[in-house]
């Protein structure tokens, strides 16, 4: 196979931040499996209390993303992974003098993926990680003696103040140094008070600080590329269809729906939701690094790794199928029969949630507490409601992320590289993808083996009977209450049954 991308990475040393995250671990797997002649991959790993970085590296290699490599007996490639203690939130990345010298003298390619993705995080902490962390990476890259490419992982939503976005770096409303000065001189309460004024239309500190971080890369003068993924979801093809370790976005909802505890979802089924599989993101990062060195034009490259303009996903595509998928691959750990319904507004969702989420949650949590267990459902639904309030702008708004640069990059690759490192999401069939994702959530997030399916399907039938029985009992209860309240007969009051059924069906 003639792969120019593989040839580029052969014999090169790579430095990765954020390597323990969803994108980072998938990037490491792809580099090892498809570029096995890469020399070494240095991983900046933050030491955790009670765990040395060597122990964290060992945990990393046990990740399910490497299952394919284990099957192909490629685990000897793990010796190319070299952990370096550090933290993008600390001065000089928290690296020792010796480790920094090693990176400066040996590394040619840097992938900067580390960031705080927490939409609840305050401006002070997101500035430290997302903005200052990127500045520190740029400073390191300036010192690297043989830098071929810096690939910065940004987000399509850094420009969420716009609704039609191109692959360019847009101006910012505040200079980075001004923000850093405010963060360093004001206390946390003062910063939090001024945050809405500082953000100027940005949805949250995450998108704002990631936007400023792009300018750190753009103004660096380094050979660099910025890759902007949209909402990153489970794998389309690699390493395994449906593979995921992320609970964000649809994966989290499918987890809850499969358990039977999430039964409503506020979405506008006609809007395009920009989802992008993690393997396409990883391919984009790897190819972007290659192209920075290949292209004689050394200007900054910006790529939208997105789907909204070339293969948009709309929830109406799977609305009639998602419950069939959940019931075809049910969970042994399900607490109720799965049924997911989409609602067109957050207001309707909150009304419905009282009846189908919170009342059952309080009942089940009480039973769990009486049995000596740990109640979690009320807290789960409270957290879901709070997160939906923060995400309302993203749920009921459509963006067009134009990606001609990425598609042109795909077309510029050799036929072999187009297969090995595809960037083209246009052939993806969303219905088929979501069937794989349901199975991936079941296996990789909920740890339920395919061997457990027969027992899970038997339990699902039992839950269906219980579900129908409960519905019949509740309808019977309302029927009896109406009969008693109006002192009428069963026959005359029977009309209340379809009325109540239709009313609750709207919720």
């Amino acid at each position: 196979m003639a792969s120019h991308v593989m040839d580029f990475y052969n014999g090169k040393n790579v430095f990765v931040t954020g390597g323990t995250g969803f994108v980072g671990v998938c990037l490491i797997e792809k580099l090892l499996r498809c570029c096995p002649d890469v020399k070494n991959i240095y991983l900046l790993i933050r030491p955790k209390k009670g765990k040395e970085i060597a122990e964290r590296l060992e945990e990393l290699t046990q990740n399910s993303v490497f299952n394919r490599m284990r099957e192909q007996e490629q685990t000897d490639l793990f010796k190319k992974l070299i952990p370096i203690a550090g933290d993008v939130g600390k001065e000089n990345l928290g690296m020792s003098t010796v480790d920094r010298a090693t990176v400066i003298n040996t590394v040619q390619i840097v992938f900067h993926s580390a960031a705080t993705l927490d939409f609840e995080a305050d401006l002070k902490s997101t500035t430290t990680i997302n903005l200052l962390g990127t500045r520190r990476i740029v400073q390191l890259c300036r010192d690297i003696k043989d830098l071929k490419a810096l690939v910065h992982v940004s987000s399509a939503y850094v420009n969420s103040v716009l609704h039609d976005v191109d692959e360019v770096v847009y101006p910012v409303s505040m200079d980075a140094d001004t923000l850093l000065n405010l963060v360093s001189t004001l206390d946390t309460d003062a910063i939090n008070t001024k945050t809405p004024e500082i953000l100027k239309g940005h949805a949250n500190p995450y998108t704002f600080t990631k936007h400023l971080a792009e300018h750190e890369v753009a103004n660096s003068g380094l050979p660099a590329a910025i890759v902007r993924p949209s909402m990153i979801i489970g794998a389309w093809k690699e390493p395994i269809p449906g593979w995921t370790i992320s609970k964000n976005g649809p994966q989290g909802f499918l987890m809850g729906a499969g358990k039977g505890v999430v039964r409503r979802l506020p979405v506008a089924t006609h809007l395009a939701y920009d989802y992008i599989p993690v393997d396409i993101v990883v391919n984009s990062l790897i190819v972007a690094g290659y192209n920075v060195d290949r292209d004689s034009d050394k200007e900054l490259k910006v790529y939208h790794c997105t789907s909204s303009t070339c293969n948009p996903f709309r929830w109406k595509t799977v609305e009639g199928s998602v419950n069939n998928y959940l019931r075809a691959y049910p969970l042994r750990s399900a607490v109720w029969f799965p049924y997911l319904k989409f609602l067109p507004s957050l207001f309707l969702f909150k009304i419905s949630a009282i009846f189908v989420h919170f009342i059952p949650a309080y009942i089940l949590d009480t039973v769990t507490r009486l049995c000596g267990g740990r109640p979690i459902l009320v807290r789960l639904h409270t957290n879901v409601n709070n997160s939906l309030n923060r995400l309302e702008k993203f749920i009921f708004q459509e963006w067009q992320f134009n990606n001609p640069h990425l598609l042109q990059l795909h077309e510029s690759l050799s036929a072999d590289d187009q297969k090995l490192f595809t960037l083209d999401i246009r052939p993806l069939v969303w219905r088929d993808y979501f069937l794989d994702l349901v199975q991936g959530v079941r296996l990789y997030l909920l740890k339920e083996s395919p061997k457990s399916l027969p027992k899970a399907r038997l339990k699902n039938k039992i839950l269906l009977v219980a579900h129908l029985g409960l519905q019949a009992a509740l309808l019977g209860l309302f029927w009896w209450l109406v009969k008693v309240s109006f002192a009428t007969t069963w026959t005359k009051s029977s009309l209340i049954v379809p009325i109540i059924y239709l009313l609750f069906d709207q919720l």
Side-chain angles (χ1 to χ4, degrees):
M1 179 178 285
S3 170
H4 301 300
V5 176
M6 284 176 61
D7 289 343
F8 170 67
Y9 285 93
N10 288 350
K12 301 243 182 3
N13 287 300
V14 176
F15 180 73
V16 178
T17 72
T20 58
F22 182 36
V23 172
V25 73
C26 201
L27 170 65
I28 293 164
E29 189 273 344
K30 179 77 174 191
L31 283 171
L32 289 177
R33 179 168 50 83
C34 294
C35 302
D37 291 325
V38 66
K39 190 171 183 181
N40 287 306
I41 302 176
Y42 294 91
L43 306 177
L44 188 72
I45 298 179
R46 187 174 70 250
K48 284 190 173 180
K49 190 175 181 180
K51 285 187 180 179
E52 298 296 325
I53 57 170
E55 188 178 352
R56 293 200 66 197
L57 178 62
E58 178 62 26
E59 287 181 357
L60 178 74
T61 59
Q62 298 305 311
N63 193 291
S64 58
V65 75
F66 297 108
N67 286 355
R68 182 170 171 180
M69 288 182 63
R70 279 186 273 271
E71 291 170 4
Q72 297 174 353
E73 298 183 349
Q74 290 181 295
T75 53
D76 59 314
L77 294 172
F78 290 160
K79 67 178 181 290
K80 294 176 181 280
L81 302 178
I82 301 175
I84 290 180
D87 186 343
V88 296
K90 294 184 178 179
E91 196 65 35
N92 291 319
L93 300 171
M95 294 165 61
S96 71
T97 305
V98 172
D99 285 339
R100 191 176 183 89
T102 299
V103 172
I104 289 170
N105 292 319
T106 61
V107 164
Q108 288 87 27
I109 303 150
V110 174
F111 292 100
H112 177 40
S113 176
T116 175
L117 305 177
D118 187 358
F119 283 8
E120 287 187 77
D122 60 29
L123 184 58
K124 201 179 196 72
S125 60
T126 52
T127 298
T128 299
I129 303 297
N130 296 345
L131 175 55
L132 258 180
T134 302
R135 177 171 288 190
R136 289 162 182 153
I137 289 294
V138 166
Q139 290 167 347
L140 175 68
C141 288
R142 286 195 175 117
D143 292 337
I144 290 176
K145 293 180 179 179
D146 186 27
L147 182 72
K148 301 295 185 185
L150 162 62
V151 181
H152 173 67
V153 184
S154 186
S155 168
Y157 295 100
V158 299
N159 299 301
S160 58
V161 292
L162 306 172
H163 294 149
D164 195 311
V165 188
D166 292 320
E167 293 165 301
V168 298
V169 177
Y170 287 89
V172 286
S173 58
M174 176 178 285
D175 178 75
D177 288 329
T178 303
L179 177 62
L180 291 171
N181 183 57
L182 284 173
V183 167
S184 64
T185 55
L186 298 180
D187 61 32
T188 301
D189 289 339
I191 283 290
N192 290 342
T193 301
K194 288 181 70 68
T195 293
E197 176 190 342
I198 293 169
L199 296 185
K200 292 189 184 300
H202 274 273
N204 50 56
Y206 167 77
T207 63
F208 180 66
T209 54
K210 289 291 283 184
H211 190 184
L212 286 168
E214 285 194 353
H215 282 262
E216 295 296 310
V217 177
N219 297 330
S220 67
L222 296 167
I226 295 172
V227 178
R228 293 176 181 155
S230 51
M231 178 70 214
I232 306 174
I233 53 178
W236 173 22
K237 295 179 180 179
E238 296 181 276
I240 303 161
W243 174 84
T244 182
I245 55 170
S246 170
K247 297 177 183 178
N248 293 330
Q251 292 119 149
F253 293 125
L254 290 174
M255 282 181 69
K259 291 266 192 180
V261 296
V262 172
R263 311 188 67 79
R264 298 295 184 269
L265 188 61
V267 296
T269 56
H270 64 287
L271 291 182
Y273 287 77
D274 205 307
Y275 295 144
I276 193 76
V278 66
D279 46 336
I280 298 296
V281 176
V282 164
N283 288 344
S284 301
L285 298 176
I286 293 171
V287 174
Y290 154 75
N291 192 55
V292 167
D293 185 69
R294 175 186 67 166
D295 198 338
S296 57
D297 176 7
K298 294 303 179 183
E299 288 188 3
L300 177 71
K301 314 292 190 297
V302 181
Y303 301 108
H304 277 159
C305 190
T306 53
S307 62
S308 55
T309 56
C310 56
N311 188 3
F313 169 77
R314 293 178 173 84
W315 276 103
K316 67 180 181 181
T317 305
V318 299
E319 187 174 14
S321 307
V322 68
N323 284 312
N324 293 333
Y325 297 162
L326 292 170
R327 294 163 192 169
Y329 297 93
L331 303 174
R332 285 200 69 186
S333 58
V335 299
W336 201 250
F337 183 70
Y339 176 71
L340 184 63
K341 181 177 179 179
F342 302 134
L343 296 174
S345 75
L346 203 55
F347 175 72
L348 278 176
F349 169 81
K350 288 185 175 181
I351 293 176
S352 181
I354 295 171
F355 298 96
V356 300
H357 287 168
F358 281 100
I359 291 176
Y362 276 106
I363 294 171
L364 288 171
D365 273 3
T366 300
V367 172
T368 300
R369 192 178 287 109
L370 291 173
C371 294
R374 186 169 65 94
I376 61 170
L377 290 179
V378 172
R379 186 172 75 252
L380 181 148
H381 286 301
T382 301
N383 290 340
V384 168
N385 270 23
N386 291 338
S387 67
L388 289 173
N389 287 332
R390 294 188 298 274
L391 294 172
E392 184 173 10
K393 176 178 179 179
F394 297 96
I395 297 172
F396 296 104
Q397 177 63 59
E398 187 174 81
W399 281 270
Q400 296 292 307
F401 297 116
N402 304 304
N403 64 343
H405 293 174
L406 189 78
L407 296 178
Q408 288 164 12
L409 180 57
H410 176 79
E411 297 302 326
S412 75
L413 298 175
S414 69
D416 287 334
D417 279 330
Q418 286 185 3
K419 292 176 183 177
L420 194 58
F421 300 98
T422 185
L423 311 178
D424 189 1
I425 196 177
R426 288 172 293 189
L428 182 148
V429 179
W430 286 109
R431 280 194 185 91
D432 296 343
Y433 170 84
F434 266 82
L435 179 58
D436 287 335
L437 188 63
V438 166
Q439 296 173 73
V441 165
R442 186 183 191 277
L443 177 58
Y444 299 108
L445 290 182
L446 295 166
K447 310 298 183 187
E448 297 205 9
S449 165
K451 293 179 181 178
S452 68
L453 270 173
K455 290 184 178 179
R457 285 170 177 155
L458 177 60
K459 180 177 181 179
N460 197 54
K461 290 178 182 178
I462 296 171
L463 291 175
L464 172 59
V465 172
H467 176 70
L468 295 175
L470 179 62
Q471 284 187 328
L474 290 174
L475 288 172
L477 176 62
F478 278 110
W479 189 2
W480 177 79
L481 287 172
V482 170
K483 174 185 175 296
V484 170
S485 299
F486 292 94
T488 185
T489 66
W490 288 108
T491 303
K492 290 180 180 179
S493 60
S494 63
L495 187 60
I496 195 64
V497 174
I499 292 175
I500 292 294
Y501 182 84
L502 290 172
L503 177 64
F504 275 88
D505 188 55
Q506 297 306 305
L507 298 177

